[in-house]
Amino acid sequence: MTFDEVILPKELQMLKAFLPFLPANIQKMLAIYIKWVELQKTIEYFNQNPPIQQSPDMGNLMKCMKGLLPPEEQSQIEQFADMFENMDMYRDMFEGFSSAFSTDHESE
């Protein structure tokens, strides 16, 4: 779920979608109003919910970005996410091996 989906009511999201179809003289004022409400909702959200940092894991980042991209780019992001996941797995595996060998060597 994106941040906009969390803070913006559906009515405001619909107004944003309708904006290009409204008369030109109304678009500017309505766009400013929408941004003003977004700012108010953002301030309200953070006053009620302390920020929580997600894991900076690159696989998680790639998964979050995936939904924002066109379909042809989503498969590339999936490949990157898989690659980062595999790199983490290999790193953990090699750290386990190196700690096993260093512990054996130190006990002799």
Side-chain angles (χ1 to χ4, degrees):
M1 182 175 281
T2 67
F3 183 68
D4 277 349
E5 292 171 332
V6 171
I7 65 165
L8 296 180
K10 292 287 181 201
E11 297 82 15
L12 203 59
Q13 292 177 36
M14 288 176 17
L15 274 178
K16 288 175 83 170
F18 286 128
L19 196 61
F21 302 101
L22 297 173
N25 62 338
I26 296 175
Q27 287 182 17
K28 181 179 178 183
M29 286 303 297
L30 189 56
I32 292 169
Y33 170 76
I34 290 169
K35 290 300 178 187
W36 175 251
V37 173
E38 285 181 13
L39 177 61
Q40 289 177 323
K41 294 289 185 182
T42 301
I43 292 169
E44 181 181 306
Y45 175 83
F46 281 109
N47 283 338
Q48 295 174 0
N49 303 288
I52 299 171
Q53 182 178 356
Q54 296 236 353
S55 166
D57 176 274
M58 285 303 287
N60 287 341
L61 178 61
M62 294 295 168
K63 288 176 187 171
C64 289
M65 289 176 48
K66 179 184 154 196
L68 303 173
L69 298 172
E72 61 273 5
E73 293 177 17
Q74 287 185 13
S75 64
Q76 292 174 326
I77 289 296
E78 286 176 10
Q79 290 174 349
F80 279 123
D82 290 343
M83 182 178 69
F84 283 114
E85 190 174 309
N86 289 334
M87 287 171 41
D88 288 341
M89 183 181 68
Y90 290 133
R91 186 192 66 231
D92 293 344
M93 185 175 69
F94 287 120
E95 284 175 357
F97 284 143
S98 65
S99 65
F101 288 119
S102 64
T103 304
D104 290 342
H105 187 265
E106 290 173 5
S107 64
E108 291 177 2

